[in-house]
Amino acid sequence: MSQQESMAGPNWEDDFNQLTPSEFFRKNKQMLGFTGKIRSLTIVFHELITNSFDAAEESGILPEINITLDRVDKEHYILRHSDNGPGIPEDYVMQVYCQMFAGSKFRNIQSRGQQGLGCSGCVLLSQMTTGEPARVISRYRENGKIKGIKMTFKMDVKKNIGMLMEKEEFEADQTGACIELQFKEVSYSMAEQGAFEYIRRTIIGNPHAKITFRDPSGHKYIFKRAADIVPVLPKEVLPHPKGVSADDLLFMAKHTDKRSYKSLLTSSLSRMSAKRVNEIQEKTGIDMKKRPKTMEWEEAETIVKAFKEMKFMAPPTDGLIPIGSEQIEKGMKQILKPEFVATITRKPVTYQGGVAFIVEAGIAYGGNSGRVVNEQRKSEIMRFANRVPLTFDQGSCAITNALQSIEWKRYGLKDLDNSPVTLFVNIISTQIPYLSTGKQSISPEPEIVQEVRQATMDLARKLQKHIRSKKAAKEKAMRSKIFEDYVPMIIEEAAKLGETAVPEYHEVLAKVTKRALAELLGEKVEEEVEEVVEEAIIMEELDELGHEVQEEESNLRNTKQMTFD
Amino acid sequence: MSQQESMAGPNWEDDFNQLTPSEFFRKNKQMLGFTGKIRSLTIVFHELITNSFDAAEESGILPEINITLDRVDKEHYILRHSDNGPGIPEDYVMQVYCQMFAGSKFRNIQSRGQQGLGCSGCVLLSQMTTGEPARVISRYRENGKIKGIKMTFKMDVKKNIGMLMEKEEFEADQTGACIELQFKEVSYSMAEQGAFEYIRRTIIGNPHAKITFRDPSGHKYIFKRAADIVPVLPKEVLPHPKGVSADDLLFMAKHTDKRSYKSLLTSSLSRMSAKRVNEIQEKTGIDMKKRPKTMEWEEAETIVKAFKEMKFMAPPTDGLIPIGSEQIEKGMKQILKPEFVATITRKPVTYQGGVAFIVEAGIAYGGNSGRVVNEQRKSEIMRFANRVPLTFDQGSCAITNALQSIEWKRYGLKDLDNSPVTLFVNIISTQIPYLSTGKQSISPEPEIVQEVRQATMDLARKLQKHIRSKKAAKEKAMRSKIFEDYVPMIIEEAAKLGETAVPEYHEVLAKVTKRALAELLGEKVEEEVEEVVEEAIIMEELDELGHEVQEEESNLRNTKQMTFD
């Protein structure tokens, strides 16, 4: 370390450095989300759970995770995290857990992780705070057999690789991965941004998963599956021509093994047939038999310009697997016990021209919706990306921006902040545009913001009807109350005046009241209520019949509405 | 590119990749701040200006920057940015502009850039959107002579290095660096988040700099220096023992060329004398003559624990160079023309145990303070880190958190959002804890949030006095008005009653009013006003005399208050 004072600028030879990604993030761990004791531990849970879910689902396995967190000392914990996924082959274990920017997540496939940073970030934090190695047990399939391996290793941050300390093979009968890490300067908490709440939200977004968690006090929580759905395998989807830039195309051309522009285009892009390539050749005059390595910027730009002018089928969306509005509803009902819930999964659309995404949303009202702050119930926003809860940095997020831009007063919520409301939004895409390496907020791409607005406004309209009809019912009840209070008085007074005994009127009154009230007193109120109820029923029926519900601004893929009174 | 559908998890050999930092950020350019057309161009300005300032100041040069932005086509621009800094030696030009995580900014020195990402990010964006190379002219000192070199190059993102295309040496007579880059899909704007506003704010935070900017319409703006201060050279400061973790110490030990724990500690840490090392040896029982390479985690942890228990002088702060409250005041007055401004530079304190930082703040009220939104004047927050304006992602930032936590009502601002107020905060540190690679927001470390609160509340108290005295003056004026309106009527009516002519009273009345009003009518009001004014004068005098102004919660290093009526 040079002690000299810089008097005339940097001493280039001494001061100029190239850092490895590990070194960089060692100096900037807050960029991986590791800021604050509670938050840091939550991020560790987030990264490990995320990784286990992705691994299991890519192999068609229903994810099941076991986590135990032991407190060794104040702010010193041992975390054991194991899953039932396919395991990691021996040669890749240290790459997965020690090399930053390394991973299998860089394909165009819907996955929770995207960066090859998460797991190695956890190992880095463990090593930085305790100096302890990571201990991994991996059971994986190789040549038709299951192999077991136990490895103990540290991370060499100067080289961005793992350093093996111990290794042991063993017999195994089922696949899975298990990691044990120690942490200091972190804190387990039941707070909104704590690890426990993170698991709870994970289950809302992933009702097909099972998580068993033993907390530091020894209490064991079992989050059961809400449904035994066989998970759909996510598919790798080729990029859509409309979502590709000249730079992307040039990059593909420089690093392909294809022999011609034609085979490059048809093999690298979706919706690109030989016929379309011929069209491009006609349109641009560029010979599609040329070798990709010869491609220059101008050609790439001309071809991409042609893409923009041509019509293509929308991007394939079978690679996108939403939670589904019914599942979201189940999850929200199970956890929030609301008096009203409505959910929606919208049709796939695209951002940046050709990257497909789906927005799902839910609104829950009443019951345990919202969160309790200082004994007051406030509204809460639950943000998800590819089913992963986003817990931090909500300020800059597309989801927050969209929800804040809605005029909630128009939907009968005069004071959203202080209402018992939970807003749920999940964004599904093969490429979530995260704003930072901490993956906690989504870039406010205009199309994403617009979709979130649309989805939520559709639901807000339903909530408004619910609130209105609840109000009407309340008014009606109040008027009945007056009727019921006064009729007996009139009867009794009448009896006195007529000097007869008071007749047994209660049963009759109850019957009459029921029938007569609507006609006699509730005329105006009754009409309003009926109108609202009828509309709601029609909508539900239409929906059940599979008809598309036509509403202003509506573009629903699937919509569900439930009221509990 | 593999087209196969993944049926049983990733195909490790095909799918597992190690990305270079350049490849990673090519896929995630939003993490460098490149989202949106306006914002992307602002970030480019930000990175290049930042880099020029750092380079000039480290060499003791008053920074002077020339920028021209030409529009070639809609959303296609050519940017030329040149500075009067020390230039870059030929061998380092492509490293500075093409290698990510490479730079001279990783020392413990106050600099605007910290990451070795900014300049290469700009080159990456240029290449991604236009395919054009970067053109750099560097004039630098070598063996007592000034050498000139023109280089044209592209970035090889797969390798994270530059690819030279052309090179030419030339004769030069003064140092400096100039870069020309082309961009598409960006947009020049006068909006709050646009490039022009960025320059304007830069000048507020850097009144010693000169920037000449020719915008796409050909209009030339010259932002002159507010003062010809010779800039203080920032010093590299060794880390303070209290701010060092066991991992840091171990890292130092593994990568040092020192021969003993003792020489390692004294050469790597500030406030660490031979005497203190002996104390540590006594305290821990660890032999300080041991070779650093032999250090294990337990020893490092024991030594760091000893650091925490020992008393050390506070971190050296001569490496921290604040703007200074007078300079901030000049900058705010020049640009905002406010009716009131107060500024403060607080004493250095530390976060995370031992990282020194200084908070500076300013409040401007009235005039052009705040910003105009839909013809309404709203308050605005100007955030700075090491004098660099932070324009985006304010939601999660320590500065925003701190300002939002202040109860503005207590300071007479019932509706801060709709008040003509500009709040200025600058945080100075050798290590700003940025939340993301885009460097737009600061991690809300409790000590930083607290300092920003304190600084701003001190100023808010002064603003409150100003608003109060303004209100009192207004009331007084209203009462005078009544006096002036009624006295003539009384005189005229009296003349009628006495059947005499109306005397020429105007001149006399004016004189009398002036003197008498205070005594006759304004008693109560007058007292209040005088009290406030006197206090303000006393404070100014005290300040001018260099006395420390004692106030509740005040811990001022330098404070200035000015009122313009």
Side-chain angles (χ1 to χ4, degrees):
Chain A
M1 190 160 294
S2 149
Q3 255 198 111
Q4 86 190 66
E5 282 174 24
S6 43
M7 289 305 290
N11 178 333
W12 289 91
E13 264 178 61
D14 285 359
D15 293 337
F16 198 88
N17 273 306
Q18 169 77 53
L19 301 191
T20 63
S22 302
E23 261 180 304
F24 178 80
F25 287 111
R26 182 182 167 278
K27 281 171 174 281
N28 294 286
K29 68 180 168 40
Q30 75 281 356
M31 290 185 192
L32 296 174
F34 297 131
T35 58
K37 289 170 184 176
I38 293 173
R39 173 169 171 160
S40 293
L41 189 60
T42 304
I43 296 285
V44 169
F45 274 64
H46 162 77
E47 297 295 355
L48 297 179
I49 292 174
T50 289
N51 213 54
S52 290
F53 278 5
D54 279 342
E57 287 170 22
E58 282 192 35
S59 300
I61 298 166
L62 267 175
E64 193 171 327
I65 294 177
N66 271 283
I67 306 171
T68 63
L69 183 67
D70 289 315
R71 185 181 277 122
V72 182
D73 199 354
K74 189 175 168 287
E75 296 184 3
H76 181 183
Y77 296 84
I78 299 180
L79 176 72
R80 270 177 222 92
H81 172 107
S82 61
D83 67 35
N84 65 340
I88 304 164
E90 184 183 332
D91 290 351
Y92 293 93
V93 169
M94 291 204 299
Q95 295 192 51
V96 166
Y97 290 111
C98 294
Q99 288 178 219
M100 296 209 160
F101 295 147
S104 56
K105 304 291 179 65
F106 306 118
R107 294 164 294 154
N108 210 34
I109 190 166
Q110 177 185 329
S111 65
R112 295 172 180 80
Q114 281 187 182
Q115 310 190 145
L117 278 175
C119 285
S120 29
C122 296
V123 171
L124 178 66
L125 183 72
S126 166
Q127 180 166 321
M128 281 178 71
T129 56
T130 66
E132 288 291 325
R135 283 167 236 276
V136 167
I137 302 172
S138 174
R139 290 163 284 120
Y140 62 100
R141 219 171 278 274
E142 193 176 75
N143 304 325
K145 276 191 208 163
I146 295 177
K147 276 188 74 174
I149 183 105
K150 287 186 196 179
M151 295 171 84
T152 305
F153 51 85
K154 286 193 176 181
M155 179 189 274
D156 183 339
V157 292
K158 273 269 188 202
K159 294 184 184 148
N160 195 37
I161 55 169
M163 295 182 292
L164 187 66
M165 299 169 70
E166 277 172 41
K167 191 176 94 172
E168 191 193 324
E169 290 182 20
F170 67 96
E171 298 265 313
D173 53 5
Q174 54 184 7
T175 64
C178 173
I179 182 161
E180 184 187 295
L181 292 172
Q182 298 198 26
F183 297 95
K184 284 186 184 172
E185 293 160 50
V186 299
S187 177
Y188 174 71
S189 158
M190 302 291 282
E192 201 198 348
Q193 302 204 320
F196 184 82
E197 175 66 16
Y198 182 83
I199 296 178
R200 204 180 67 100
R201 292 192 177 189
T202 298
I203 290 296
I204 294 182
N206 300 272
H208 65 297
K210 184 183 169 189
I211 298 182
T212 308
F213 172 51
R214 210 190 65 215
D215 76 8
S217 72
H219 193 96
K220 196 171 180 176
Y221 300 89
I222 302 172
F223 296 90
K224 285 185 190 162
R225 291 194 176 89
D228 268 352
I229 319 141
V230 182
V232 188
L233 284 178
K235 274 187 198 167
E236 185 169 347
V237 179
L238 295 176
H240 191 265
K242 299 258 183 193
V244 159
S245 69
D247 186 56
D248 291 333
L249 185 58
L250 203 57
F251 196 82
M252 288 172 187
K254 296 296 172 204
H255 301 104
T256 187
D257 51 8
K258 299 292 169 190
R259 303 285 188 108
S260 69
Y261 285 16
K262 186 170 187 168
S263 59
L264 171 72
L265 293 180
T266 53
S267 68
S268 313
L269 301 175
S270 66
R271 309 309 193 198
M272 188 61 73
S273 58
K275 199 180 145 212
R276 307 316 300 271
V277 175
N278 292 341
E279 266 181 70
I280 294 165
Q281 179 161 329
E282 274 169 40
K283 222 174 155 61
T284 60
I286 297 169
D287 178 8
M288 290 290 138
K289 284 193 218 79
K290 285 172 77 174
R291 294 180 72 88
K293 304 266 181 226
T294 67
M295 192 183 286
E296 294 288 330
W297 178 268
E298 284 67 29
E299 277 187 345
E301 209 173 31
T302 307
I303 294 170
V304 165
K305 196 161 161 263
F307 290 167
K308 304 279 180 216
E309 291 162 4
M310 290 163 70
K311 280 192 181 163
F312 289 95
M313 278 177 68
T317 52
D318 50 353
L320 299 183
I321 307 152
I323 306 173
S325 62
E326 284 186 37
Q327 293 302 320
I328 298 170
E329 191 192 303
K330 270 188 197 163
M332 292 181 90
K333 274 159 95 172
Q334 188 182 324
I335 300 214
L336 304 171
K337 318 271 182 232
E339 70 175 50
F340 169 90
V341 63
T343 58
I344 186 173
T345 298
R346 285 176 63 88
K347 283 183 186 158
V349 285
T350 62
Y351 76 90
Q352 285 178 6
V355 186
F357 72 100
I358 292 175
V359 163
E360 304 188 277
I363 289 188
Y365 180 86
N368 296 327
S369 304
R371 68 204 153 88
V372 176
V373 180
N374 299 331
E375 293 177 27
Q376 279 241 310
R377 199 161 277 278
K378 306 256 182 189
S379 64
E380 73 175 340
I381 296 173
M382 290 191 179
R383 296 173 298 132
F384 290 75
N386 284 351
R387 305 179 156 207
V388 175
L390 308 178
T391 319
F392 307 102
D393 302 340
Q394 64 168 22
S396 320
C397 184
I399 295 176
T400 317
N401 286 8
L403 297 180
Q404 282 174 344
S405 77
I406 293 173
E407 274 192 72
W408 289 97
K409 281 177 201 162
R410 285 183 51 191
Y411 300 98
L413 286 169
K414 278 178 209 147
D415 184 7
L416 177 68
D417 281 354
N418 295 305
S419 302
V421 171
T422 292
L423 300 171
F424 170 103
V425 177
N426 179 34
I427 292 170
I428 295 283
S429 179
T430 50
Q431 206 182 317
I432 304 272
Y434 289 114
L435 275 176
S436 76
T437 41
K439 289 186 297 178
Q440 292 295 322
S441 57
I442 298 168
S443 172
E445 304 292 328
E447 298 88 349
I448 295 179
V449 172
Q450 180 57 12
E451 273 293 293
V452 174
R453 266 177 66 85
Q454 282 301 333
T456 308
M457 289 192 305
D458 276 338
L459 302 178
R461 227 167 276 127
K462 291 184 179 144
L463 174 58
Q464 184 178 27
K465 279 181 194 157
H466 165 75
I467 293 174
R468 262 199 212 140
S469 76
K470 199 180 149 189
K471 203 174 149 195
K474 208 171 158 187
E475 270 176 37
K476 179 186 149 190
M478 258 174 62
R479 299 185 95 163
S480 310
K481 188 75 179 15
I482 294 167
F483 186 77
E484 281 166 13
D485 285 352
Y486 286 96
V487 168
M489 276 171 64
I490 293 166
I491 292 175
E492 278 161 38
E493 291 300 317
K496 268 188 217 163
L497 282 173
E499 293 182 348
T500 65
V502 177
E504 181 40 52
Y505 62 88
H506 291 96
E507 206 178 326
V508 181
L509 177 63
K511 274 187 191 167
V512 173
T513 313
K514 237 184 186 172
R515 243 188 306 125
L517 247 178
E519 293 163 30
L520 290 172
L521 286 163
E523 287 162 358
K524 214 179 161 191
V525 176
E526 201 65 29
E527 261 175 38
E528 241 180 43
V529 174
E530 270 180 4
E531 196 183 289
V532 171
V533 171
E534 265 169 24
E535 203 175 316
I537 291 168
I538 290 166
M539 285 181 59
E540 272 184 32
E541 279 172 357
L542 272 171
D543 187 44
E544 275 165 20
L545 290 168
H547 290 288
E548 218 165 298
V549 181
Q550 292 292 331
E551 258 201 303
E552 175 211 358
E553 295 182 312
S554 93
N555 179 26
L556 322 183
R557 177 177 174 170
N558 186 3
T559 179
K560 266 281 179 184
Q561 183 188 15
M562 295 291 297
T563 8
F564 319 97
D565 283 331
Chain B
M1 191 159 291
S2 148
Q3 255 199 108
Q4 85 191 67
E5 283 173 25
S6 44
M7 291 304 289
N11 177 333
W12 290 91
E13 267 179 59
D14 286 357
D15 293 336
F16 197 87
N17 273 305
Q18 170 76 54
L19 301 191
T20 63
S22 303
E23 259 179 304
F24 178 80
F25 287 111
R26 182 182 167 277
K27 280 170 175 283
N28 294 287
K29 68 180 168 37
Q30 74 281 356
M31 290 184 192
L32 296 174
F34 297 131
T35 59
K37 289 171 184 176
I38 293 173
R39 173 169 171 161
S40 292
L41 189 61
T42 304
I43 295 286
V44 169
F45 275 64
H46 162 77
E47 297 296 354
L48 296 179
I49 292 174
T50 289
N51 213 54
S52 290
F53 279 5
D54 279 343
E57 287 170 21
E58 282 192 34
S59 299
I61 298 167
L62 267 175
E64 194 172 327
I65 294 176
N66 271 284
I67 306 171
T68 63
L69 184 67
D70 289 316
R71 187 182 275 121
V72 182
D73 199 355
K74 188 174 170 286
E75 295 184 4
H76 181 185
Y77 296 84
I78 299 180
L79 176 73
R80 268 178 223 91
H81 172 107
S82 60
D83 67 35
N84 65 340
I88 305 165
E90 183 183 332
D91 289 351
Y92 293 93
V93 168
M94 292 204 297
Q95 294 192 53
V96 166
Y97 289 111
C98 294
Q99 286 179 218
M100 297 211 159
F101 295 148
S104 55
K105 303 291 179 64
F106 306 118
R107 294 166 295 154
N108 210 35
I109 190 166
Q110 176 184 329
S111 65
R112 296 173 178 80
Q114 280 187 184
Q115 310 190 145
L117 276 176
C119 286
S120 28
C122 296
V123 172
L124 178 66
L125 184 71
S126 166
Q127 180 165 323
M128 281 177 72
T129 57
T130 66
E132 289 291 324
R135 284 168 235 274
V136 167
I137 302 172
S138 174
R139 289 164 282 120
Y140 61 101
R141 217 172 280 274
E142 193 176 74
N143 304 326
K145 277 192 208 160
I146 294 178
K147 274 188 74 173
I149 182 108
K150 287 186 194 178
M151 295 171 85
T152 305
F153 51 86
K154 287 194 176 183
M155 180 189 271
D156 183 339
V157 293
K158 272 271 187 199
K159 293 184 184 148
N160 194 36
I161 56 170
M163 294 182 292
L164 187 67
M165 297 169 70
E166 278 171 42
K167 192 177 91 172
E168 191 194 323
E169 292 183 18
F170 67 96
E171 298 265 314
D173 52 6
Q174 54 183 8
T175 64
C178 172
I179 182 162
E180 185 187 295
L181 292 172
Q182 298 198 26
F183 297 95
K184 285 186 185 174
E185 292 160 51
V186 300
S187 177
Y188 174 72
S189 158
M190 303 290 284
E192 200 197 349
Q193 304 204 319
F196 185 83
E197 175 67 15
Y198 182 83
I199 296 178
R200 203 179 68 101
R201 292 191 178 190
T202 297
I203 290 296
I204 294 183
N206 300 272
H208 64 298
K210 183 182 170 191
I211 298 182
T212 308
F213 172 50
R214 207 190 68 214
D215 78 7
S217 72
H219 193 96
K220 197 170 180 177
Y221 300 90
I222 301 173
F223 296 90
K224 286 186 190 160
R225 290 194 177 89
D228 266 353
I229 320 142
V230 182
V232 189
L233 285 179
K235 274 188 198 165
E236 186 169 347
V237 179
L238 295 176
H240 190 264
K242 298 258 184 194
V244 159
S245 69
D247 187 55
D248 292 332
L249 185 57
L250 202 58
F251 196 82
M252 287 171 187
K254 296 296 172 203
H255 301 105
T256 187
D257 50 8
K258 299 293 169 190
R259 302 286 189 110
S260 69
Y261 285 16
K262 187 170 188 167
S263 58
L264 172 72
L265 293 181
T266 52
S267 68
S268 315
L269 300 175
S270 65
R271 309 309 193 197
M272 188 60 72
S273 59
K275 198 181 147 214
R276 308 315 302 271
V277 175
N278 292 341
E279 265 182 70
I280 294 165
Q281 179 161 329
E282 273 169 39
K283 220 173 154 64
T284 61
I286 296 169
D287 177 8
M288 289 290 139
K289 284 194 219 79
K290 285 172 75 176
R291 294 180 73 87
K293 304 264 181 227
T294 69
M295 193 183 285
E296 294 288 329
W297 178 268
E298 284 67 28
E299 277 187 345
E301 209 172 29
T302 307
I303 293 171
V304 166
K305 196 161 161 265
F307 290 167
K308 304 280 180 215
E309 291 163 3
M310 291 163 70
K311 279 192 181 164
F312 289 94
M313 278 176 70
T317 51
D318 51 352
L320 298 183
I321 307 153
I323 306 174
S325 62
E326 284 186 37
Q327 292 302 322
I328 298 171
E329 191 192 302
K330 270 188 197 161
M332 291 181 91
K333 271 159 99 174
Q334 186 181 325
I335 299 215
L336 303 171
K337 318 272 182 229
E339 70 175 50
F340 169 89
V341 63
T343 58
I344 185 172
T345 297
R346 283 176 66 88
K347 283 184 185 154
V349 286
T350 62
Y351 75 90
Q352 285 179 6
V355 186
F357 72 100
I358 292 175
V359 164
E360 304 188 276
I363 290 189
Y365 180 85
N368 296 327
S369 304
R371 69 201 152 90
V372 175
V373 180
N374 298 331
E375 294 175 29
Q376 280 242 308
R377 200 162 276 278
K378 305 257 181 189
S379 65
E380 72 175 340
I381 297 173
M382 290 191 180
R383 297 174 296 132
F384 290 75
N386 283 351
R387 304 178 157 209
V388 175
L390 309 178
T391 320
F392 307 102
D393 302 341
Q394 65 168 21
S396 319
C397 184
I399 295 175
T400 317
N401 286 8
L403 297 180
Q404 283 175 344
S405 76
I406 293 174
E407 274 192 71
W408 289 97
K409 281 176 202 163
R410 287 183 50 192
Y411 300 97
L413 285 170
K414 277 179 208 145
D415 184 6
L416 177 67
D417 281 354
N418 295 306
S419 302
V421 171
T422 292
L423 299 170
F424 169 102
V425 177
N426 179 34
I427 294 170
I428 294 285
S429 179
T430 52
Q431 206 182 317
I432 303 272
Y434 288 113
L435 275 176
S436 76
T437 41
K439 290 187 297 180
Q440 291 294 323
S441 58
I442 298 168
S443 172
E445 303 292 328
E447 298 88 349
I448 295 179
V449 172
Q450 181 56 13
E451 274 292 296
V452 174
R453 266 177 66 85
Q454 282 301 334
T456 308
M457 288 191 306
D458 276 340
L459 302 179
R461 227 168 277 126
K462 291 183 181 149
L463 174 58
Q464 184 177 26
K465 280 183 195 156
H466 166 76
I467 293 174
R468 264 200 209 138
S469 75
K470 199 180 150 189
K471 205 174 148 193
K474 208 171 158 186
E475 271 175 36
K476 177 187 147 191
M478 257 175 61
R479 299 184 96 163
S480 313
K481 189 74 182 12
I482 292 168
F483 186 79
E484 280 167 13
D485 286 353
Y486 285 97
V487 168
M489 276 172 64
I490 293 167
I491 293 176
E492 279 161 36
E493 290 299 317
K496 268 189 214 160
L497 283 171
E499 291 180 350
T500 64
V502 177
E504 181 39 49
Y505 62 87
H506 292 93
E507 206 178 324
V508 181
L509 177 63
K511 275 187 192 165
V512 172
T513 311
K514 237 185 191 172
R515 243 186 307 124
L517 247 180
E519 292 162 32
L520 290 172
L521 287 163
E523 288 160 357
K524 214 177 158 192
V525 175
E526 201 64 29
E527 263 176 34
E528 242 179 42
V529 173
E530 270 179 3
E531 195 183 290
V532 171
V533 171
E534 266 169 22
E535 201 174 317
I537 292 167
I538 291 167
M539 285 182 58
E540 271 183 33
E541 279 171 357
L542 271 172
D543 188 44
E544 275 165 21
L545 290 168
H547 290 290
E548 213 164 302
V549 181
Q550 292 292 332
E551 256 202 301
E552 175 212 0
E553 292 183 316
S554 95
N555 179 25
L556 321 183
R557 176 177 174 167
N558 187 3
T559 180
K560 266 278 179 190
Q561 183 187 13
M562 296 289 297
T563 9
F564 317 98
D565 283 333

